[in-house]
């Protein structure tokens, strides 16, 4: 199973989206919390999604030449997210279903982000980010529902069955 899915929708454009607040350190990231009203005004997909599953949007910034260690997001809460790379920075996002198992080797799956394209992202599969010479900024959603209420597989199915089949999108 792929731990990510490129969403077939318009590119993310944050030019007219205002920032509500800034957090200095959130698990090693610098976070800009985005204004939900201005975001939804400019993106049909996110407006459709927010009506089903409310979320808090933000931009996560990772400093240059940093590695965010292998991890599973908020093990008790975050079951799924949507991410989009919004800075042109050389970096890798890797997943591994067996990185924490014993042995010398682990399987990896590379997510090659396209700039401003949104990806459904499974934060319950171990993953890591390796960033190089420029700061890396990623748009990310934090859903109000916990990982039992909203999973990667559930949201992927809803997007495929409901959003992709909408007449007015």
């Amino acid at each position: 199973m792929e731990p990510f899915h490129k969403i077939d929708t318009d590119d993310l454009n944050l030019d007219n989206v205002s920032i509500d607040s800034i957090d200095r350190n959130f698990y090693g990231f610098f976070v800009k919390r985005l204004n939900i009203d201005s975001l939804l005004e400019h993106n049909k997909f996110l407006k459709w999604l927010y009506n089903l599953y409310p979320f808090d949007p933000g931009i996560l910034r990772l400093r240059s030449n940093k590695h965010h260690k292998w991890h599973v997001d908020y093990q008790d809460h975050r079951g799924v997210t949507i991410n989009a790379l919004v800075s042109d920075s050389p970096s890798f996002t890797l997943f591994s279903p067996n990185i924490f198992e014993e042995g010398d080797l682990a399987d990896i799956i590379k997510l090659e982000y396209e700039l401003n394209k949104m990806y459904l992202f499974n934060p319950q599969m171990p993953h890591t980010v390796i960033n190089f010479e420029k700061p890396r900024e990623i748009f990310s959603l934090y859903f109000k529902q916990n990982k039992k209420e909203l999973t990667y597989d559930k949201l992927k199915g809803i997007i495929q069955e409901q959003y992709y089949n909408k007449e007015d999108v």
Side-chain angles (χ1 to χ4, degrees):
M1 172 186 75
E2 289 289 311
F4 58 87
H5 169 75
K6 183 178 172 185
I7 299 170
D8 185 14
T9 189
D10 294 337
D11 285 5
L12 184 65
N13 182 341
L14 300 177
D15 290 345
N16 297 311
V17 178
S18 58
I19 297 170
D20 278 348
S21 66
I22 295 176
D23 295 332
R24 299 283 177 213
N25 189 1
F26 181 76
Y27 296 96
F29 291 97
F30 178 87
V31 179
K32 299 175 193 173
R33 296 186 186 274
L34 301 177
N35 179 275
I36 191 67
D37 294 326
S38 61
L39 177 67
L40 298 181
E41 182 181 338
H42 296 97
N43 191 291
K44 286 189 234 177
F45 169 72
L46 293 175
K47 185 174 184 177
W48 170 83
L49 183 61
Y50 187 84
N51 286 328
L52 292 175
Y53 299 106
F55 54 77
D56 291 320
I59 305 256
L60 307 176
R61 183 177 188 171
L62 183 61
R63 292 175 292 160
S64 57
N65 299 308
K66 295 294 178 193
H67 168 228
H68 200 274
K69 297 178 183 177
W70 284 99
H71 65 285
V72 173
D73 284 15
Y74 318 116
Q75 293 184 9
D76 294 332
H77 189 78
R78 199 175 196 197
V80 64
T81 189
I82 290 177
N83 288 348
L85 185 66
V86 295
S87 65
D88 188 17
S89 51
S91 61
F92 291 118
T93 299
L94 303 172
F95 292 86
S96 177
N98 56 356
I99 192 72
F100 298 129
E101 294 175 10
E102 288 190 38
D104 294 328
L105 299 176
D107 299 312
I108 58 170
I109 303 164
K110 182 179 178 183
L111 168 52
E112 295 192 51
Y113 281 105
E114 293 177 46
L115 196 61
N116 296 313
K117 299 288 185 189
M118 286 187 268
Y119 292 80
L120 192 66
F121 187 103
N122 184 354
Q124 292 301 303
M125 181 180 285
H127 57 282
T128 188
V129 176
I130 302 169
N131 191 40
F132 297 102
E133 61 267 4
K134 294 181 187 177
R136 175 187 188 262
E137 290 191 331
I138 197 122
F139 168 83
S140 191
L141 300 183
Y142 188 88
F143 289 97
K144 308 282 186 181
Q145 293 76 20
N146 68 38
K147 73 178 187 178
K148 292 180 182 162
E149 297 167 326
L150 186 59
T151 65
Y152 172 84
D153 290 333
K154 179 177 181 178
L155 187 53
K156 182 178 178 183
I158 289 168
I159 290 169
Q160 290 175 329
E161 293 167 17
Q162 295 179 24
Y163 182 74
Y164 291 162
N165 293 320
K166 282 179 61 76
E167 298 284 331
D168 59 345
V169 176

